[in-house]
Amino acid sequence: MPILTDIIAALPAAVPFVGPEAIERRRGRQFLARIGANENVFGPSPNAIDAMRRATAGVWQYGDPENSDLRHALAEFYRIEAENIVVGEGIDGLLGYLVGMTVSAGNKVVTSDGAYPTFNYHVRRFGGELIKLPNCGEFEDIDALIAVARQQRAKLIYLANPDNPMGTFHGREAVSRMIDAVPEGCLLILDEAYLECTGLETAPEVDPLDRRVIRMRTFSKAYGMAGARVGYAIGHRDWIAAFEKVRNHFGMCRISQAGALAALQDQSYLRQTVAAIADARRRIGQISCANGLRTIPSSANFVAIDCGGDGGFARHVLDGLLARDIFARMPNVSPLDRCIRISAGTAKDLEYFAEALPPALQEATSIIPR
Amino acid sequence: MPILTDIIAALPAAVPFVGPEAIERRRGRQFLARIGANENVFGPSPNAIDAMRRATAGVWQYGDPENSDLRHALAEFYRIEAENIVVGEGIDGLLGYLVGMTVSAGNKVVTSDGAYPTFNYHVRRFGGELIKLPNCGEFEDIDALIAVARQQRAKLIYLANPDNPMGTFHGREAVSRMIDAVPEGCLLILDEAYLECTGLETAPEVDPLDRRVIRMRTFSKAYGMAGARVGYAIGHRDWIAAFEKVRNHFGMCRISQAGALAALQDQSYLRQTVAAIADARRRIGQISCANGLRTIPSSANFVAIDCGGDGGFARHVLDGLLARDIFARMPNVSPLDRCIRISAGTAKDLEYFAEALPPALQEATSIIPR
């Protein structure tokens, strides 16, 4: 394929995640509990579902390329201007645009080892050089991210807060200090996909005059609309203007636009969902504890469970869950991979999980004694 | 913004198209007839609408990143393999991926002057050098596209067939000859967004072993689902594998996936729609003729009407239509810009158009005599 760019030709054929449907097809059997992709089993507001149903008949029309209604509603919600917001095809889509705007071959990008693979996927696609830093215990290491970005003259720093896959969270003072420390010539991408699960007030307020950081948020997690692909970035107007140069202007699904707007307007449903997620986290903690396992305190819609062994051991536990039709995932690097990651499920989902975990652990122990 | 890449920093802030909603907001008034964006006013199959309604409740789940059901249904439809198909966020999204896979700074890309602005937008975003060739009369100039691509060692040739904005069409023998003539090291992007309007049998059969061409098709036009953002590319398996390196794997709306599958499975509705589009084209022809205007014979879901003057004259006619709440568009280069472009509308839409055209023409003539 001599027509491919050198960067693309050299890329391995890799996908960030294999979807649960693909795993089901290969197994020839459906999952009982879909608690592996940090989807929100409690789903979106009924108002959002209504809005999407009503929007289906109008799907012959392109969505508004300016996403005006949603951007203005978000602007009002955050008390900022619409010019500080860009809506895109999920945070995944926005990360792709942002990396493409900033990263050329050989540019350095700093992230945490084990952090969001889709971000890394985009960096590689544009020829960026990834520098992955170990966590500090169960937390992403803010100070190290900053120090290495400065030392290596990195263009981008990626921080998910709350963190995925561990679920840990840096408070507003720590994040504010981090923003203040972003080196000249560098941009902090603050991926706040899970922020609603712990509360917007736990993060520094958005400052539309600050060029050092772009905040990314989504309707995929607490709002329960992963399949609709609606994310947004908040930042300085110059950054948002730069997105306008590269984004797929007619890329948004019109039905999703309508759903996201209705979801945003139903904050009371969001609060219920966040409470249900917190209940599910507690239940995952109880189940783990009953099996002698420790959980990492989580501020997101999932819980990392320390299986008490190494990555090989946790992999066997995960396989045991999969064999019992529980879809879950695990971190892909040591030492995080001593954990498995369970998304907040319904009571029924977690009942299945509670049944499957003991035999899965027992089997793993019979293969690799802890 | 020192963090932007040189290419992005140098790009002007330009959008390929201003959406009708944006025009409505600026006017403070809604359109009576939305016949400017080549949307399909007849909408999707009722089965597709049902499928999308049913899918809304499951939108908490990400869409299948492999688009397996849709890809396999398309593969069966075309009697090819699923490995020869990639589904993406409309042809717009797929063009972005393909240009990003192939075009580096300074690479040459050949297209027709006045052809699809969104393709050009993507080429500029990746630093490609656009070579725009004049049409041969009302047709894209196949021989010139090939000759210049060979001479300039272009990486890509773009051809829309049926053509947009003129609606003209090259038959299967001409397109087959063009594919055979694609120079070594070059790829032909055959954008067949409107092909269903004239019939799939009017184009060369897809050949999944041919590396010289990628065919792009969509559910946005004849299938009536522009707002759902579902397009697909058909090509050699190596090309499809390359898309896997860059595409947004979780980028598809789950509701749209369900709708597109149901739409594909209702070919009888598609035939009805295509007949309704043909009726609308005839009606646009009658209206034009009654006003002393010639139309360009169209194989798409729109008709280019030669207003009989230059670009300035046609612009006045278009403004007169807009002032009468008719949303239409026109080509952006001479000599195509002697035309306005009217999408196939409902009977009611075209009634409004028939009412608005005579005074619009009269006003234009009073400003610039033809």
Side-chain angles (χ1 to χ4, degrees):
Chain A
M1 307 285 283
I3 302 168
L4 296 177
T5 67
D6 294 344
I7 290 170
I8 303 300
L11 270 186
V15 299
F17 294 105
V18 177
E21 288 85 359
I23 304 173
E24 286 178 336
R25 284 189 293 271
R26 282 158 215 176
R27 288 159 26 102
R29 210 161 75 240
Q30 295 215 308
F31 287 117
L32 283 173
R34 181 167 162 139
I35 48 177
N38 298 346
E39 294 162 327
N40 176 349
V41 297
F42 305 106
S45 157
N47 299 351
I49 293 181
D50 278 356
M52 290 187 282
R53 281 180 198 270
R54 282 196 307 273
T56 52
V59 80
W60 63 271
Q61 301 165 90
Y62 287 104
D64 172 18
E66 298 181 359
N67 296 289
S68 180
D69 293 345
L70 181 57
R71 275 171 55 240
H72 281 91
L74 285 166
E76 195 178 332
F77 183 77
Y78 289 115
R79 297 164 198 262
I80 57 177
E81 301 297 321
E83 67 183 13
N84 297 114
I85 299 170
V86 58
V87 170
E89 305 90 334
I91 289 180
D92 285 3
L94 291 165
L95 287 173
Y97 295 134
L98 184 52
V99 172
M101 282 151 58
T102 54
V103 173
S104 302
N107 286 166
K108 288 174 180 169
V109 172
V110 179
T111 185
S112 300
D113 203 12
Y116 197 40
T118 303
F119 175 70
N120 300 350
Y121 170 83
H122 289 306
V123 171
R124 288 193 198 99
R125 167 187 163 196
F126 290 101
E129 186 185 320
L130 278 163
I131 304 172
K132 298 178 182 178
L133 304 186
N135 274 12
C136 177
E138 283 140 7
F139 289 82
E140 294 197 54
D141 190 340
I142 284 185
D143 293 339
L145 289 166
I146 290 287
V148 171
R150 186 181 308 276
Q151 183 203 341
Q152 298 283 328
R153 300 181 180 276
K155 272 198 157 179
L156 299 175
I157 305 173
Y158 175 86
L159 178 78
N161 195 49
D163 172 54
N164 177 20
M166 298 307 269
T168 53
F169 181 72
H170 289 289
R172 59 190 295 166
E173 290 75 19
V175 175
S176 288
R177 277 197 308 273
M178 183 182 190
I179 295 171
D180 285 339
V182 172
E184 191 80 18
C186 182
L187 174 75
L188 171 61
I189 304 175
L190 196 50
D191 180 343
E192 299 179 319
Y194 299 99
L195 185 62
E196 287 87 356
C197 299
T198 179
L200 300 183
E201 71 286 357
T202 60
E205 265 186 51
V206 296
D207 175 0
L209 296 179
D210 195 335
R211 291 168 187 267
R212 300 169 300 182
V213 60
I214 287 182
R215 320 278 284 261
M216 299 232 177
R217 296 183 184 178
T218 184
F219 288 88
S220 296
K221 302 300 177 185
Y223 286 102
M225 293 176 56
R229 313 316 298 126
V230 188
Y232 56 100
I234 304 174
H236 190 281
R237 56 187 287 177
D238 291 349
W239 272 118
I240 303 304
F243 274 99
E244 295 298 307
K245 296 179 174 185
V246 303
R247 74 184 181 93
N248 189 2
H249 285 258
F250 284 83
M252 292 300 297
C253 173
R254 189 177 179 95
I255 299 168
S256 302
Q257 290 175 323
L261 181 62
L264 179 70
Q265 287 165 344
D266 192 351
Q267 291 294 313
S268 133
Y269 184 87
L270 179 71
R271 283 188 291 273
Q272 280 178 50
T273 302
V274 168
I277 290 170
D279 283 346
R281 282 197 310 250
R282 278 188 286 274
R283 179 73 188 121
I284 296 168
Q286 289 162 354
I287 295 166
S288 307
C289 185
N291 285 275
L293 304 182
R294 192 179 78 88
T295 55
I296 317 299
S298 170
S299 300
N301 76 338
F302 58 85
V303 177
I305 303 173
D306 187 336
C307 289
D310 63 3
F313 181 79
R315 169 63 58 192
H316 283 299
V317 177
L318 191 75
D319 288 346
L321 294 175
L322 291 171
R324 288 167 181 84
D325 302 331
I326 309 292
F327 169 56
R329 286 199 175 123
M330 61 183 288
N332 60 6
V333 294
S334 174
L336 313 186
D337 64 357
R338 69 189 185 279
C339 297
I340 57 173
R341 195 194 66 181
I342 306 294
S343 305
T346 62
K348 191 80 195 164
D349 290 334
L350 298 184
E351 223 173 89
Y352 288 125
F353 172 62
E355 280 168 29
L357 183 59
L361 274 170
Q362 198 171 2
E363 280 170 16
T365 310
S366 76
I367 301 167
I368 306 182
R370 268 184 290 179
Chain B
M1 307 284 282
I3 303 167
L4 295 178
T5 66
D6 294 343
I7 290 171
I8 303 300
L11 270 186
V15 299
F17 294 105
V18 177
E21 289 85 358
I23 303 172
E24 286 178 335
R25 285 189 294 270
R26 282 159 216 175
R27 287 160 27 102
R29 210 161 76 240
Q30 296 215 307
F31 288 117
L32 283 174
R34 181 167 161 138
I35 48 177
N38 298 347
E39 295 161 329
N40 175 350
V41 297
F42 306 106
S45 158
N47 299 350
I49 293 181
D50 278 355
M52 289 187 281
R53 281 179 197 270
R54 283 197 306 274
T56 53
V59 80
W60 63 270
Q61 302 165 87
Y62 287 104
D64 172 17
E66 299 181 0
N67 296 290
S68 181
D69 292 346
L70 181 56
R71 276 171 55 240
H72 281 91
L74 285 166
E76 196 179 331
F77 183 77
Y78 289 114
R79 298 166 196 261
I80 56 177
E81 302 297 321
E83 67 182 13
N84 297 114
I85 299 170
V86 58
V87 170
E89 305 90 336
I91 289 180
D92 285 3
L94 291 165
L95 287 173
Y97 295 135
L98 183 52
V99 172
M101 282 152 58
T102 54
V103 173
S104 302
N107 285 166
K108 289 176 180 165
V109 172
V110 179
T111 185
S112 300
D113 203 12
Y116 197 40
T118 303
F119 175 70
N120 300 350
Y121 170 84
H122 289 306
V123 171
R124 289 194 197 98
R125 166 186 164 196
F126 290 101
E129 186 185 319
L130 278 162
I131 304 172
K132 298 177 182 177
L133 304 186
N135 274 11
C136 177
E138 283 140 7
F139 290 82
E140 294 197 55
D141 190 341
I142 284 185
D143 293 339
L145 289 167
I146 290 287
V148 172
R150 186 182 308 276
Q151 182 202 343
Q152 299 283 329
R153 299 182 181 277
K155 272 197 158 178
L156 298 175
I157 304 172
Y158 175 86
L159 177 78
N161 195 49
D163 172 52
N164 178 19
M166 298 307 269
T168 52
F169 181 72
H170 289 289
R172 58 188 296 167
E173 290 73 21
V175 176
S176 287
R177 277 197 308 272
M178 184 183 189
I179 295 171
D180 284 339
V182 171
E184 190 81 20
C186 182
L187 174 75
L188 171 61
I189 304 175
L190 196 49
D191 180 341
E192 299 179 319
Y194 298 99
L195 185 62
E196 287 87 356
C197 298
T198 179
L200 300 183
E201 72 286 356
T202 60
E205 266 186 50
V206 296
D207 174 1
L209 296 179
D210 195 336
R211 293 167 186 266
R212 300 169 300 184
V213 60
I214 287 182
R215 319 280 284 262
M216 299 229 175
R217 297 184 183 178
T218 183
F219 288 88
S220 296
K221 302 299 177 184
Y223 286 101
M225 294 177 54
R229 314 316 298 128
V230 188
Y232 56 99
I234 304 174
H236 189 281
R237 56 187 288 177
D238 290 349
W239 273 117
I240 303 305
F243 274 98
E244 295 298 306
K245 296 178 174 185
V246 303
R247 75 185 181 93
N248 189 1
H249 285 259
F250 285 83
M252 292 300 297
C253 173
R254 188 176 180 95
I255 299 168
S256 302
Q257 289 175 324
L261 181 61
L264 179 70
Q265 287 165 344
D266 192 351
Q267 290 294 312
S268 134
Y269 184 87
L270 180 71
R271 283 188 291 272
Q272 279 178 50
T273 303
V274 168
I277 290 170
D279 282 346
R281 282 196 309 250
R282 276 187 287 273
R283 179 73 188 120
I284 296 168
Q286 289 163 354
I287 296 166
S288 306
C289 186
N291 285 275
L293 304 181
R294 193 179 76 87
T295 55
I296 317 299
S298 170
S299 300
N301 76 338
F302 57 86
V303 177
I305 303 172
D306 186 335
C307 289
D310 63 4
F313 182 79
R315 169 65 57 192
H316 284 298
V317 177
L318 191 74
D319 288 345
L321 294 175
L322 291 170
R324 288 165 180 85
D325 302 333
I326 309 292
F327 169 56
R329 286 198 176 123
M330 62 182 288
N332 59 6
V333 294
S334 173
L336 312 186
D337 65 358
R338 68 189 186 279
C339 297
I340 57 172
R341 194 194 66 182
I342 306 294
S343 305
T346 62
K348 191 80 193 163
D349 290 334
L350 298 184
E351 222 173 274
Y352 288 125
F353 172 62
E355 281 168 30
L357 182 58
L361 273 171
Q362 198 171 4
E363 280 170 16
T365 310
S366 76
I367 302 168
I368 306 183
R370 267 183 289 177

